Amino acid sequence: MTATRERGRFVVLEGIDGAGTTTQILRLASRLRAEGIAVRSTREPSDGPFGTMIRHVLTGRLVAPGGRAPGWSTMALLFAADRMDHVETEIEPFLQAGGVVLSDRYDASSLAYQSVSSGREGSDAVAWIRALNRYALRPDLTIVLDVPSEIAATRRETRGEEAQLYEQNEVQRALGEFYRNLVAHMPDDRIVVLDGTGTIDEVADRVYAAFRLQHG
Ligand code: TYD
């Protein structure tokens, strides 16, 4: 008799640029691995072919005629295509094998970034982006790291990297606001908004507690 393997868990970390999602994914992954859990950490844009193309857009190496970045709706379509490919090739197979998948960003990033950069607050932009992502696998848990945009800006400056497409302070402030209200935009998802300020260890403990509360 073959034992049916239990399906894994899909957990997403979200937040503005500099909120600490990348650091906290690493911390949660090593903590869970130390407990003997099979973990795969991944990210969006993904490391697949579509995600790689998007990274070229974000860093200004791939531009529309005139040297501008493609518009918000083109970006929403690119991110949605990358997501479907990411789910199919990386996320779903690992969940079927019973592992925990931790993703640095997922479709909440599209709702936040593409709607904010559309400049069409109150329009149907969010509904359209949700529709584009209708067939994207739902996460079991989405954890938002809430960090004031000034603190996140200081963290980004400390990294010393070139600013990417969405990294202007006014955009980041609006994104922070959007993320704090994320549950209103994704009412059917399990979303936890955590205080992302403090030391890396303090935030890591909050993230771990949120994971355990959901997954026992
Ligand atoms: P980020 O996750 O900060 O990666 P890096 O470590 O390379 O800086 O960069 C990804 C950027 O893409 C970030 O600004 C958010 C944005 N983004 C969207 O606009 N929409 C999306 O759907 C996703 C997944 C990301």
Side-chain angles (χ1 to χ4, degrees):
M1 214 172 77
T2 48
T4 353
R5 206 192 289 264
E6 201 187 322
R7 188 176 164 79
R9 303 277 177 208
F10 179 28
V11 178
V12 172
L13 258 71
E14 287 280 355
I16 65 175
D17 293 272
T21 55
T22 308
T23 306
Q24 292 302 332
I25 286 267
L26 288 172
R27 294 295 290 258
L28 182 59
S30 42
R31 198 148 169 180
L32 297 178
R33 284 194 189 110
E35 294 176 358
I37 298 171
V39 179
R40 175 158 193 150
S41 33
T42 184
R43 62 177 184 169
E44 290 194 0
S46 77
D47 293 309
F50 307 110
T52 303
M53 185 176 71
I54 293 171
R55 285 185 189 278
H56 288 322
V57 175
L58 295 173
T59 52
R61 291 181 66 193
L62 196 163
V63 290
R68 293 184 314 276
W72 69 275
S73 52
T74 305
M75 294 304 288
L77 290 160
L78 291 174
F79 279 114
D82 178 43
R83 186 159 302 121
M84 299 316 292
D85 179 63
H86 187 207
V87 169
E88 202 175 318
T89 59
E90 280 193 61
I91 299 175
E92 189 60 50
F94 200 75
L95 291 175
Q96 275 179 23
V100 170
V101 175
L102 303 178
S103 185
D104 186 349
R105 304 188 176 281
Y106 193 64
D107 66 347
S109 281
S110 283
L111 289 196
Y113 283 75
Q114 276 61 65
S115 77
V116 164
S117 61
S118 75
R120 293 164 150 252
E121 281 95 279
S123 76
D124 67 348
V126 170
W128 181 70
I129 300 163
R130 280 191 67 179
L132 286 182
N133 289 279
R134 183 166 301 148
Y135 295 108
L137 175 75
R138 293 327 305 151
D140 296 294
L141 175 65
T142 297
I143 299 172
V144 175
L145 299 180
D146 182 24
V147 171
S149 57
E150 304 77 38
I151 296 182
T154 312
R155 290 183 186 172
R156 293 199 303 277
E157 277 160 30
T158 319
R159 277 192 221 151
E161 292 165 6
E162 285 278 310
Q164 293 192 6
L165 187 58
Y166 301 110
E167 297 185 356
Q168 310 88 12
N169 289 341
E170 316 77 76
V171 173
Q172 295 291 321
R173 234 190 317 278
L175 286 168
E177 194 58 34
F178 190 98
Y179 272 122
R180 276 188 285 282
N181 293 319
L182 186 61
V183 67
H185 298 294
M186 300 182 123
D188 301 328
D189 280 17
R190 169 104 183 97
I191 296 167
V192 179
V193 180
L194 293 183
D195 176 7
T197 63
T199 66
I200 291 175
D201 283 346
E202 283 165 350
V203 181
D205 284 345
R206 284 176 213 140
V207 170
Y208 179 77
F211 175 88
R212 279 289 162 225
L213 198 64
Q214 175 71 7
H215 297 300

Short mmCIF file of all heavy atoms in Angstrom, two decimals, residues 60-127:
data_model
loop_
_atom_site.label_atom_id
_atom_site.label_comp_id
_atom_site.label_asym_id
_atom_site.label_seq_id
_atom_site.Cartn_x
_atom_site.Cartn_y
_atom_site.Cartn_z
N GLY A 60 16.19 48.73 -15.93
CA GLY A 60 16.34 49.67 -17.04
C GLY A 60 17.14 49.14 -18.21
O GLY A 60 17.55 49.89 -19.10
N ARG A 61 17.39 47.84 -18.26
CA ARG A 61 18.14 47.27 -19.40
C ARG A 61 17.22 46.92 -20.56
O ARG A 61 17.66 46.74 -21.67
CB ARG A 61 18.91 46.02 -18.96
CG ARG A 61 20.05 46.36 -18.01
CD ARG A 61 20.81 45.13 -17.60
NE ARG A 61 21.51 44.52 -18.73
CZ ARG A 61 22.03 43.30 -18.70
NH1 ARG A 61 21.93 42.58 -17.60
NH2 ARG A 61 22.66 42.81 -19.74
N LEU A 62 15.92 46.78 -20.26
CA LEU A 62 14.93 46.50 -21.31
C LEU A 62 13.89 47.60 -21.24
O LEU A 62 13.24 47.78 -20.20
CB LEU A 62 14.31 45.12 -21.04
CG LEU A 62 13.54 44.44 -22.18
CD1 LEU A 62 13.38 42.96 -21.84
CD2 LEU A 62 12.20 45.05 -22.41
N VAL A 63 13.77 48.38 -22.29
CA VAL A 63 12.89 49.55 -22.26
C VAL A 63 11.97 49.60 -23.48
O VAL A 63 12.25 48.94 -24.49
CB VAL A 63 13.72 50.87 -22.22
CG1 VAL A 63 14.43 51.04 -20.90
CG2 VAL A 63 14.71 50.92 -23.39
N ALA A 64 10.91 50.39 -23.35
CA ALA A 64 10.02 50.66 -24.49
C ALA A 64 10.68 51.74 -25.35
O ALA A 64 11.60 52.42 -24.89
CB ALA A 64 8.66 51.11 -23.95
N PRO A 65 10.19 51.93 -26.58
CA PRO A 65 10.76 52.99 -27.42
C PRO A 65 10.73 54.33 -26.68
O PRO A 65 9.78 54.65 -25.98
CB PRO A 65 9.81 53.03 -28.63
CG PRO A 65 9.26 51.65 -28.71
CD PRO A 65 9.15 51.16 -27.30
N GLY A 66 11.79 55.10 -26.82
CA GLY A 66 11.89 56.36 -26.09
C GLY A 66 12.61 56.18 -24.76
O GLY A 66 12.81 57.13 -24.03
N GLY A 67 12.95 54.94 -24.44
CA GLY A 67 13.74 54.69 -23.23
C GLY A 67 12.91 54.57 -21.96
O GLY A 67 13.45 54.43 -20.86
N ARG A 68 11.59 54.61 -22.09
CA ARG A 68 10.75 54.50 -20.90
C ARG A 68 10.51 53.04 -20.54
O ARG A 68 10.63 52.15 -21.39
CB ARG A 68 9.40 55.16 -21.12
CG ARG A 68 9.44 56.67 -21.29
CD ARG A 68 8.02 57.22 -21.42
NE ARG A 68 7.20 56.42 -22.35
CZ ARG A 68 7.20 56.59 -23.66
NH1 ARG A 68 7.98 57.50 -24.21
NH2 ARG A 68 6.43 55.86 -24.45
N ALA A 69 10.10 52.84 -19.27
CA ALA A 69 9.68 51.49 -18.87
C ALA A 69 8.31 51.22 -19.49
O ALA A 69 7.54 52.16 -19.73
CB ALA A 69 9.57 51.42 -17.35
N PRO A 70 7.98 49.97 -19.78
CA PRO A 70 6.63 49.66 -20.25
C PRO A 70 5.59 50.14 -19.24
O PRO A 70 5.88 50.25 -18.05
CB PRO A 70 6.62 48.14 -20.34
CG PRO A 70 8.06 47.72 -20.34
CD PRO A 70 8.81 48.78 -19.61
N GLY A 71 4.38 50.41 -19.70
CA GLY A 71 3.32 50.91 -18.83
C GLY A 71 2.84 49.86 -17.81
O GLY A 71 3.18 48.69 -17.90
N TRP A 72 2.04 50.33 -16.86
CA TRP A 72 1.61 49.48 -15.73
C TRP A 72 0.85 48.24 -16.20
O TRP A 72 0.99 47.16 -15.62
CB TRP A 72 0.75 50.28 -14.74
CG TRP A 72 -0.59 50.67 -15.29
CD1 TRP A 72 -0.87 51.75 -16.05
CD2 TRP A 72 -1.82 49.95 -15.13
NE1 TRP A 72 -2.19 51.76 -16.40
CE2 TRP A 72 -2.81 50.67 -15.84
CE3 TRP A 72 -2.19 48.78 -14.46
CZ2 TRP A 72 -4.14 50.25 -15.90
CZ3 TRP A 72 -3.51 48.36 -14.52
CH2 TRP A 72 -4.46 49.08 -15.23
N SER A 73 0.03 48.40 -17.28
CA SER A 73 -0.78 47.24 -17.68
C SER A 73 0.09 46.20 -18.37
O SER A 73 -0.11 45.00 -18.17
CB SER A 73 -1.94 47.68 -18.58
OG SER A 73 -1.47 48.48 -19.65
N THR A 74 1.10 46.65 -19.12
CA THR A 74 2.06 45.69 -19.70
C THR A 74 2.79 44.96 -18.56
O THR A 74 2.97 43.74 -18.60
CB THR A 74 3.09 46.42 -20.59
OG1 THR A 74 2.38 47.17 -21.56
CG2 THR A 74 4.04 45.46 -21.26
N MET A 75 3.19 45.73 -17.54
CA MET A 75 3.90 45.12 -16.40
C MET A 75 3.01 44.09 -15.70
O MET A 75 3.46 43.00 -15.32
CB MET A 75 4.36 46.19 -15.40
CG MET A 75 5.42 47.13 -15.93
SD MET A 75 6.90 46.29 -16.53
CE MET A 75 7.65 45.74 -15.00
N ALA A 76 1.72 44.43 -15.53
CA ALA A 76 0.81 43.49 -14.85
C ALA A 76 0.71 42.17 -15.63
O ALA A 76 0.69 41.08 -15.05
CB ALA A 76 -0.58 44.12 -14.71
N LEU A 77 0.69 42.29 -16.96
CA LEU A 77 0.61 41.08 -17.79
C LEU A 77 1.90 40.27 -17.71
O LEU A 77 1.87 39.04 -17.62
CB LEU A 77 0.31 41.47 -19.24
CG LEU A 77 -1.12 42.00 -19.47
CD1 LEU A 77 -1.20 42.80 -20.76
CD2 LEU A 77 -2.12 40.86 -19.48
N LEU A 78 3.04 40.96 -17.72
CA LEU A 78 4.32 40.25 -17.63
C LEU A 78 4.44 39.52 -16.30
O LEU A 78 4.81 38.34 -16.26
CB LEU A 78 5.50 41.24 -17.77
CG LEU A 78 5.71 41.89 -19.14
CD1 LEU A 78 6.82 42.95 -19.05
CD2 LEU A 78 6.09 40.83 -20.16
N PHE A 79 4.09 40.20 -15.21
CA PHE A 79 4.19 39.57 -13.88
C PHE A 79 3.23 38.38 -13.78
O PHE A 79 3.56 37.36 -13.18
CB PHE A 79 3.89 40.58 -12.77
CG PHE A 79 5.05 41.48 -12.42
CD1 PHE A 79 5.00 42.85 -12.66
CD2 PHE A 79 6.19 40.98 -11.82
CE1 PHE A 79 6.06 43.69 -12.33
CE2 PHE A 79 7.26 41.80 -11.47
CZ PHE A 79 7.19 43.16 -11.73
N ALA A 80 2.03 38.54 -14.37
CA ALA A 80 1.05 37.45 -14.29
C ALA A 80 1.55 36.23 -15.08
O ALA A 80 1.41 35.09 -14.63
CB ALA A 80 -0.31 37.92 -14.81
N ALA A 81 2.17 36.48 -16.25
CA ALA A 81 2.70 35.36 -17.04
C ALA A 81 3.82 34.66 -16.29
O ALA A 81 3.88 33.42 -16.23
CB ALA A 81 3.20 35.88 -18.39
N ASP A 82 4.71 35.45 -15.70
CA ASP A 82 5.81 34.85 -14.92
C ASP A 82 5.26 34.00 -13.78
O ASP A 82 5.74 32.91 -13.48
CB ASP A 82 6.71 35.98 -14.38
CG ASP A 82 7.85 35.44 -13.52
OD1 ASP A 82 8.47 34.43 -13.93
OD2 ASP A 82 8.13 36.02 -12.45
N ARG A 83 4.20 34.51 -13.15
CA ARG A 83 3.60 33.82 -11.99
C ARG A 83 3.04 32.45 -12.40
O ARG A 83 3.26 31.45 -11.70
CB ARG A 83 2.50 34.72 -11.42
CG ARG A 83 1.87 34.23 -10.15
CD ARG A 83 1.22 35.40 -9.43
NE ARG A 83 2.20 36.43 -9.14
CZ ARG A 83 2.12 37.70 -9.56
NH1 ARG A 83 1.08 38.12 -10.26
NH2 ARG A 83 3.07 38.56 -9.27
N MET A 84 2.31 32.41 -13.49
CA MET A 84 1.72 31.13 -13.89
C MET A 84 2.82 30.10 -14.20
O MET A 84 2.71 28.93 -13.84
CB MET A 84 0.80 31.30 -15.11
CG MET A 84 -0.39 32.23 -14.88
SD MET A 84 -1.26 32.03 -13.31
CE MET A 84 -2.01 30.43 -13.53
N ASP A 85 3.88 30.58 -14.85
CA ASP A 85 5.01 29.70 -15.16
C ASP A 85 5.71 29.25 -13.87
O ASP A 85 6.11 28.08 -13.72
CB ASP A 85 5.99 30.47 -16.06
CG ASP A 85 7.21 29.64 -16.41
OD1 ASP A 85 7.04 28.60 -17.07
OD2 ASP A 85 8.33 30.03 -16.01
N HIS A 86 5.84 30.17 -12.93
CA HIS A 86 6.49 29.90 -11.64
C HIS A 86 5.73 28.83 -10.87
O HIS A 86 6.30 27.89 -10.32
CB HIS A 86 6.54 31.23 -10.87
CG HIS A 86 7.32 31.20 -9.60
ND1 HIS A 86 7.05 32.05 -8.57
CD2 HIS A 86 8.36 30.44 -9.19
CE1 HIS A 86 7.89 31.82 -7.58
NE2 HIS A 86 8.70 30.85 -7.92
N VAL A 87 4.38 28.99 -10.85
CA VAL A 87 3.55 28.01 -10.14
C VAL A 87 3.71 26.62 -10.77
O VAL A 87 3.92 25.62 -10.08
CB VAL A 87 2.06 28.44 -10.15
CG1 VAL A 87 1.16 27.30 -9.66
CG2 VAL A 87 1.84 29.68 -9.29
N GLU A 88 3.62 26.63 -12.10
CA GLU A 88 3.63 25.35 -12.82
C GLU A 88 4.96 24.61 -12.68
O GLU A 88 4.99 23.40 -12.46
CB GLU A 88 3.37 25.68 -14.29
CG GLU A 88 2.84 24.56 -15.11
CD GLU A 88 2.51 25.08 -16.53
OE1 GLU A 88 1.95 26.19 -16.67
OE2 GLU A 88 2.85 24.37 -17.47
N THR A 89 6.06 25.36 -12.81
CA THR A 89 7.36 24.69 -12.88
C THR A 89 8.03 24.50 -11.53
O THR A 89 8.82 23.58 -11.35
CB THR A 89 8.33 25.45 -13.81
OG1 THR A 89 8.51 26.76 -13.29
CG2 THR A 89 7.79 25.53 -15.23
N GLU A 90 7.77 25.41 -10.56
CA GLU A 90 8.51 25.33 -9.30
C GLU A 90 7.63 25.08 -8.08
O GLU A 90 7.93 24.24 -7.25
CB GLU A 90 9.23 26.66 -9.03
CG GLU A 90 10.53 26.82 -9.78
CD GLU A 90 11.30 28.00 -9.21
OE1 GLU A 90 11.64 27.96 -8.01
OE2 GLU A 90 11.52 28.97 -9.96
N ILE A 91 6.54 25.86 -7.97
CA ILE A 91 5.78 25.86 -6.72
C ILE A 91 4.96 24.57 -6.58
O ILE A 91 5.09 23.84 -5.60
CB ILE A 91 4.89 27.12 -6.62
CG1 ILE A 91 5.77 28.37 -6.65
CG2 ILE A 91 4.01 27.07 -5.37
CD1 ILE A 91 5.01 29.69 -6.68
N GLU A 92 4.13 24.31 -7.59
CA GLU A 92 3.21 23.18 -7.50
C GLU A 92 3.95 21.83 -7.34
O GLU A 92 3.57 21.03 -6.47
CB GLU A 92 2.31 23.20 -8.75
CG GLU A 92 1.16 22.22 -8.72
CD GLU A 92 0.20 22.43 -7.56
OE1 GLU A 92 -0.24 23.57 -7.35
OE2 GLU A 92 -0.12 21.44 -6.86
N PRO A 93 5.00 21.56 -8.11
CA PRO A 93 5.68 20.27 -7.93
C PRO A 93 6.21 20.09 -6.51
O PRO A 93 6.13 18.99 -5.95
CB PRO A 93 6.84 20.31 -8.95
CG PRO A 93 6.39 21.30 -9.99
CD PRO A 93 5.56 22.31 -9.27
N PHE A 94 6.73 21.15 -5.92
CA PHE A 94 7.29 21.02 -4.58
C PHE A 94 6.19 20.83 -3.53
O PHE A 94 6.34 20.06 -2.58
CB PHE A 94 8.15 22.25 -4.25
CG PHE A 94 9.12 21.99 -3.14
CD1 PHE A 94 10.28 21.23 -3.37
CD2 PHE A 94 8.89 22.46 -1.86
CE1 PHE A 94 11.17 20.97 -2.34
CE2 PHE A 94 9.78 22.20 -0.82
CZ PHE A 94 10.92 21.45 -1.06
N LEU A 95 5.05 21.51 -3.73
CA LEU A 95 3.92 21.33 -2.80
C LEU A 95 3.40 19.90 -2.89
O LEU A 95 3.05 19.29 -1.87
CB LEU A 95 2.79 22.31 -3.12
CG LEU A 95 3.08 23.79 -2.83
CD1 LEU A 95 1.92 24.65 -3.31
CD2 LEU A 95 3.34 24.01 -1.34
N GLN A 96 3.37 19.37 -4.10
CA GLN A 96 2.89 17.99 -4.27
C GLN A 96 3.80 16.99 -3.59
O GLN A 96 3.36 15.94 -3.14
CB GLN A 96 2.74 17.67 -5.75
CG GLN A 96 1.39 18.14 -6.27
CD GLN A 96 1.20 17.88 -7.74
OE1 GLN A 96 1.84 17.00 -8.30
NE2 GLN A 96 0.33 18.65 -8.35
N ALA A 97 5.09 17.36 -3.51
CA ALA A 97 6.04 16.48 -2.82
C ALA A 97 5.97 16.66 -1.30
O ALA A 97 6.70 16.01 -0.56
CB ALA A 97 7.45 16.76 -3.34
N GLY A 98 5.10 17.56 -0.84
CA GLY A 98 4.87 17.70 0.60
C GLY A 98 5.69 18.78 1.28
O GLY A 98 5.67 18.90 2.51
N GLY A 99 6.42 19.58 0.52
CA GLY A 99 7.29 20.58 1.13
C GLY A 99 6.61 21.90 1.42
O GLY A 99 5.46 22.13 1.03
N VAL A 100 7.34 22.77 2.13
CA VAL A 100 6.87 24.13 2.38
C VAL A 100 7.54 25.04 1.35
O VAL A 100 8.77 25.04 1.23
CB VAL A 100 7.23 24.60 3.81
CG1 VAL A 100 6.95 26.09 3.98
CG2 VAL A 100 6.46 23.80 4.84
N VAL A 101 6.74 25.80 0.60
CA VAL A 101 7.29 26.76 -0.36
C VAL A 101 7.16 28.15 0.25
O VAL A 101 6.07 28.55 0.65
CB VAL A 101 6.56 26.70 -1.71
CG1 VAL A 101 7.07 27.81 -2.64
CG2 VAL A 101 6.74 25.35 -2.37
N LEU A 102 8.28 28.86 0.32
CA LEU A 102 8.27 30.24 0.82
C LEU A 102 8.59 31.15 -0.36
O LEU A 102 9.67 31.02 -0.95
CB LEU A 102 9.35 30.43 1.88
CG LEU A 102 9.29 29.52 3.11
CD1 LEU A 102 10.48 29.83 4.03
CD2 LEU A 102 7.98 29.70 3.86
N SER A 103 7.69 32.05 -0.70
CA SER A 103 7.96 32.94 -1.84
C SER A 103 8.11 34.39 -1.41
O SER A 103 7.28 34.93 -0.68
CB SER A 103 6.86 32.83 -2.91
OG SER A 103 7.21 33.61 -4.03
N ASP A 104 9.21 34.97 -1.85
CA ASP A 104 9.48 36.39 -1.65
C ASP A 104 8.67 37.12 -2.73
O ASP A 104 9.09 37.16 -3.87
CB ASP A 104 11.00 36.58 -1.84
CG ASP A 104 11.48 37.98 -1.52
OD1 ASP A 104 10.64 38.87 -1.34
OD2 ASP A 104 12.71 38.16 -1.48
N ARG A 105 7.46 37.58 -2.36
CA ARG A 105 6.47 38.23 -3.22
C ARG A 105 5.65 37.22 -4.03
O ARG A 105 6.13 36.16 -4.40
CB ARG A 105 7.09 39.24 -4.20
CG ARG A 105 7.93 40.32 -3.54
CD ARG A 105 8.33 41.39 -4.55
NE ARG A 105 9.05 42.47 -3.88
CZ ARG A 105 8.45 43.42 -3.19
NH1 ARG A 105 7.14 43.43 -3.08
NH2 ARG A 105 9.14 44.36 -2.58
N TYR A 106 4.40 37.65 -4.33
CA TYR A 106 3.48 36.87 -5.17
C TYR A 106 2.45 37.85 -5.72
O TYR A 106 2.80 39.01 -5.97
CB TYR A 106 2.88 35.73 -4.34
CG TYR A 106 2.17 34.66 -5.12
CD1 TYR A 106 2.85 33.85 -6.02
CD2 TYR A 106 0.80 34.44 -4.96
CE1 TYR A 106 2.21 32.85 -6.74
CE2 TYR A 106 0.14 33.44 -5.67
CZ TYR A 106 0.85 32.66 -6.56
OH TYR A 106 0.20 31.68 -7.28
N ASP A 107 1.19 37.44 -5.88
CA ASP A 107 0.30 38.36 -6.61
C ASP A 107 -0.14 39.59 -5.83
O ASP A 107 -0.60 40.58 -6.44
CB ASP A 107 -0.89 37.63 -7.25
CG ASP A 107 -1.85 37.03 -6.25
OD1 ASP A 107 -1.49 36.94 -5.06
OD2 ASP A 107 -2.95 36.61 -6.67
N ALA A 108 0.04 39.60 -4.50
CA ALA A 108 -0.25 40.84 -3.76
C ALA A 108 0.67 41.96 -4.26
O ALA A 108 0.27 43.13 -4.29
CB ALA A 108 -0.06 40.62 -2.26
N SER A 109 1.89 41.60 -4.68
CA SER A 109 2.80 42.61 -5.24
C SER A 109 2.23 43.22 -6.51
O SER A 109 2.34 44.43 -6.74
CB SER A 109 4.18 42.02 -5.55
OG SER A 109 4.97 41.89 -4.41
N SER A 110 1.59 42.39 -7.33
CA SER A 110 0.99 42.93 -8.56
C SER A 110 -0.16 43.86 -8.22
O SER A 110 -0.30 44.94 -8.81
CB SER A 110 0.47 41.79 -9.45
OG SER A 110 1.53 41.16 -10.12
N LEU A 111 -1.02 43.43 -7.26
CA LEU A 111 -2.14 44.30 -6.88
C LEU A 111 -1.62 45.64 -6.36
O LEU A 111 -2.13 46.70 -6.73
CB LEU A 111 -2.98 43.64 -5.77
CG LEU A 111 -3.83 42.45 -6.14
CD1 LEU A 111 -4.86 42.19 -5.06
CD2 LEU A 111 -4.55 42.69 -7.45
N ALA A 112 -0.58 45.57 -5.51
CA ALA A 112 -0.06 46.80 -4.91
C ALA A 112 0.69 47.65 -5.93
O ALA A 112 0.29 48.78 -6.23
CB ALA A 112 0.85 46.45 -3.73
N TYR A 113 1.73 47.10 -6.51
CA TYR A 113 2.64 47.91 -7.35
C TYR A 113 1.97 48.36 -8.66
O TYR A 113 2.10 49.51 -9.06
CB TYR A 113 3.92 47.14 -7.67
CG TYR A 113 4.90 47.11 -6.53
CD1 TYR A 113 4.69 46.28 -5.43
CD2 TYR A 113 6.04 47.89 -6.55
CE1 TYR A 113 5.59 46.24 -4.38
CE2 TYR A 113 6.96 47.85 -5.50
CZ TYR A 113 6.72 47.03 -4.42
OH TYR A 113 7.61 47.00 -3.38
N GLN A 114 1.29 47.43 -9.34
CA GLN A 114 0.74 47.83 -10.63
C GLN A 114 -0.47 48.75 -10.46
O GLN A 114 -0.67 49.65 -11.27
CB GLN A 114 0.43 46.60 -11.50
CG GLN A 114 1.66 46.09 -12.27
CD GLN A 114 2.80 45.65 -11.36
OE1 GLN A 114 2.67 44.69 -10.62
NE2 GLN A 114 3.93 46.36 -11.41
N SER A 115 -1.27 48.58 -9.39
CA SER A 115 -2.39 49.50 -9.22
C SER A 115 -1.89 50.87 -8.77
O SER A 115 -2.34 51.90 -9.29
CB SER A 115 -3.45 48.94 -8.27
OG SER A 115 -3.04 49.08 -6.93
N VAL A 116 -0.93 50.90 -7.86
CA VAL A 116 -0.41 52.20 -7.41
C VAL A 116 0.26 52.92 -8.59
O VAL A 116 0.05 54.12 -8.80
CB VAL A 116 0.57 52.03 -6.22
CG1 VAL A 116 1.41 53.28 -6.00
CG2 VAL A 116 -0.20 51.68 -4.95
N SER A 117 1.04 52.20 -9.41
CA SER A 117 1.74 52.88 -10.50
C SER A 117 0.81 53.20 -11.66
O SER A 117 1.18 53.95 -12.56
CB SER A 117 2.95 52.06 -10.97
OG SER A 117 2.54 50.81 -11.47
N SER A 118 -0.42 52.66 -11.63
CA SER A 118 -1.38 53.01 -12.69
C SER A 118 -1.90 54.44 -12.49
O SER A 118 -2.40 55.05 -13.43
CB SER A 118 -2.57 52.04 -12.68
OG SER A 118 -3.43 52.33 -11.59
N GLY A 119 -1.81 54.92 -11.25
CA GLY A 119 -2.34 56.25 -10.96
C GLY A 119 -3.86 56.31 -11.09
O GLY A 119 -4.43 57.36 -11.28
N ARG A 120 -4.50 55.14 -11.01
CA ARG A 120 -5.96 55.09 -11.20
C ARG A 120 -6.65 54.62 -9.92
O ARG A 120 -7.46 53.70 -9.96
CB ARG A 120 -6.30 54.09 -12.30
CG ARG A 120 -5.84 54.52 -13.66
CD ARG A 120 -5.87 53.31 -14.57
NE ARG A 120 -6.13 53.74 -15.94
CZ ARG A 120 -7.27 53.54 -16.59
NH1 ARG A 120 -8.25 52.89 -16.03
NH2 ARG A 120 -7.41 53.95 -17.82
N GLU A 121 -6.28 55.26 -8.80
CA GLU A 121 -6.90 54.85 -7.55
C GLU A 121 -8.42 54.95 -7.66
O GLU A 121 -8.94 55.88 -8.24
CB GLU A 121 -6.43 55.74 -6.38
CG GLU A 121 -5.07 55.39 -5.86
CD GLU A 121 -3.98 56.23 -6.52
OE1 GLU A 121 -3.58 55.92 -7.65
OE2 GLU A 121 -3.58 57.21 -5.90
N GLY A 122 -9.07 53.97 -7.10
CA GLY A 122 -10.53 54.02 -7.12
C GLY A 122 -11.11 53.52 -8.44
O GLY A 122 -12.30 53.44 -8.62
N SER A 123 -10.24 53.19 -9.39
CA SER A 123 -10.74 52.69 -10.67
C SER A 123 -10.85 51.16 -10.58
O SER A 123 -10.73 50.57 -9.52
CB SER A 123 -9.79 53.06 -11.79
OG SER A 123 -8.66 52.21 -11.73
N ASP A 124 -11.03 50.53 -11.74
CA ASP A 124 -11.13 49.08 -11.72
C ASP A 124 -9.77 48.40 -11.90
O ASP A 124 -9.72 47.22 -12.18
CB ASP A 124 -12.12 48.60 -12.79
CG ASP A 124 -11.58 48.86 -14.19
OD1 ASP A 124 -10.57 49.59 -14.32
OD2 ASP A 124 -12.15 48.31 -15.14
N ALA A 125 -8.67 49.15 -11.71
CA ALA A 125 -7.33 48.56 -11.92
C ALA A 125 -7.12 47.33 -11.04
O ALA A 125 -6.65 46.28 -11.52
CB ALA A 125 -6.25 49.60 -11.66
N VAL A 126 -7.50 47.43 -9.76
CA VAL A 126 -7.29 46.29 -8.85
C VAL A 126 -8.12 45.09 -9.31
O VAL A 126 -7.62 43.96 -9.34
CB VAL A 126 -7.64 46.68 -7.39
CG1 VAL A 126 -7.67 45.45 -6.49
CG2 VAL A 126 -6.64 47.69 -6.84
N ALA A 127 -9.35 45.34 -9.69
CA ALA A 127 -10.22 44.24 -10.14
C ALA A 127 -9.64 43.57 -11.39
O ALA A 127 -9.66 42.34 -11.51
CB ALA A 127 -11.63 44.77 -10.44
#
